[in-house]
Amino acid sequence: MSWSLNEEKVFKDPVHKYIHVQDRVIWDLINSKEFQRLRRIRQLGTSFFTFHGAEHSRFSHSLGVYEITRKIIAQFERNQYPDWPVEERLISLCAALLHDLGHGPFSHSIEPVLDMHHERWTCRIIEDESTEVNQILRQVSPDFPEQVASVINKRYAKPIVVSLISSQMDADRMDYLLRDAYFTGVHYGTFDLERLLRMLRPYQGRIVVKDSGMHGVEDYLMSRYQMYWQVYFHPVTRSSESILRNVFRRAKELYMAQHPFQFMPGPLAELFEGRLTVDGHYMLDEALAQTALMQWSREKDAILADLCQRFLTRKLFKYEAVEGDPALKLAEMEQKLTANGLDPRYYMVLDAPKDLPYDVYIGGKTNRIPILILNTKGELQEISEKSEIVRSISGLQRGKAVLYYPEDQEDEQENVD
């Protein structure tokens, strides 16, 4: 059976200009209902409250990750590098395309509250025989879905394939930095992608960087550093995420206490009860979540209704950096909120960067795949040992704990920097 399309399909893309599809399996996966659902999931969660252009989807990001992976593999094959296993091309492209399939509404924002780990859901959708994605993958071979899932959960036998989409310099990170910078309107995340890709080499079962490409890696890592502190860690975004998490935490507590909701979609009820099905997950997109928020803003429970109204109208919590012992500030704020009739469990949030699912770069002494530099003698060196710039930001946790709480909103403005 031929896996090639009779005619190449091309998507216009604002980041990569064009995304090329030559494989029938990839084309069919893009057109599957589970992948099309990603059009209804924002890439940056609640960042649209801070950067109004941040409305792009997991669908466009996933296509971008696929395209970068395709370019890397094409470069390896064009140069006939002996260390690249050519038989791994299709599984690499499928894993790159499908790596975010399991994301729920608002992406990372509510995962901690609802125990909705996107990677586990991605693998579940891929391996469930009832899904269109699974049926398409099984056309390659009966065990192909399990192989693709093993790449995504980092258990695949060949680490070089895993590192394409999950390492400290992978296609996933490359695309979201460029894409997020484009749609937020900032320049922090830009770097020379084409040069960086030209410097990659397959070597001894892993992907490394030619030594002359070290400065390109430094540029990439500094872009990550700036994007995290200027975009991903932005306190307005974190404030909106805090409110959203408390909305769903309150809704779940009320539901489990048999509160008589006027509106409770079936997929959310399944999620609260810990029995969400693959079909229910497909229904659980941001359109459904936004409808729930709108309906719950009129619920009889005052806390849930107020939190929903705050989120929908952008009446977000104020924030301030905590100096000294956070416990003292928390006790003071708890007393103040209680005196004003507000429940501190829902109206006070202490946040710190270490709680976030992002890192700039962590050196080689971890279980994460490090960035390795290949010199002309065929020797490998972990980049933070070679670069002073990278060493200065490796594992860096800058910033202080931030306390979020409701207060007068008069001086809060939209981010226009």
Side-chain angles (χ1 to χ4, degrees), residues 247 250-251 254 261 296 299 301-309:
V247 164
R250 180 64 174 178
L254 290 171
F261 275 89
W296 292 346
E299 272 292 335
D301 181 77
I303 293 176
L304 180 61
D306 179 62
L307 291 174
C308 288
Q309 289 167 6

Side-chain angles (χ1 to χ4, degrees), residues 175-275:
D175 182 79
Y176 75 59
L177 284 178
L178 295 172
R179 193 168 301 277
D180 295 349
Y182 179 90
F183 282 100
T184 55
V186 305
H187 297 287
Y188 310 115
T190 56
F191 59 93
D192 192 341
L193 174 66
E194 296 304 320
R195 173 165 174 76
L196 192 59
L197 297 187
R198 289 199 304 272
M199 295 296 106
L200 298 182
R201 301 287 185 273
Y203 187 73
Q204 297 181 353
R206 62 187 76 185
I207 295 176
V208 301
V209 182
K210 184 180 177 182
D211 56 357
S212 59
M214 187 184 75
H215 298 302
V217 179
E218 291 175 336
D219 184 33
Y220 155 80
L221 289 174
M222 287 305 298
S223 295
R224 279 176 60 82
Y225 177 83
Q226 293 291 346
M227 282 292 286
Y228 290 150
W229 291 109
Q230 301 297 331
V231 176
Y232 304 136
F233 293 173
H234 196 287
V236 172
T237 299
R238 294 299 291 166
S239 176
S240 58
E241 288 179 338
S242 297
I243 292 176
L244 188 63
R245 283 196 294 269
N246 283 347
V247 164
F248 283 95
R249 184 161 64 91
R250 180 64 174 178
K252 181 178 180 179
E253 290 175 358
L254 290 171
Y255 179 81
M256 299 308 289
Q258 299 184 335
H259 172 80
F261 275 89
Q262 299 177 36
F263 180 81
M264 177 56 68
L268 280 175
E270 292 177 9
L271 181 62
F272 292 161
E273 294 174 11
R275 57 179 185 87

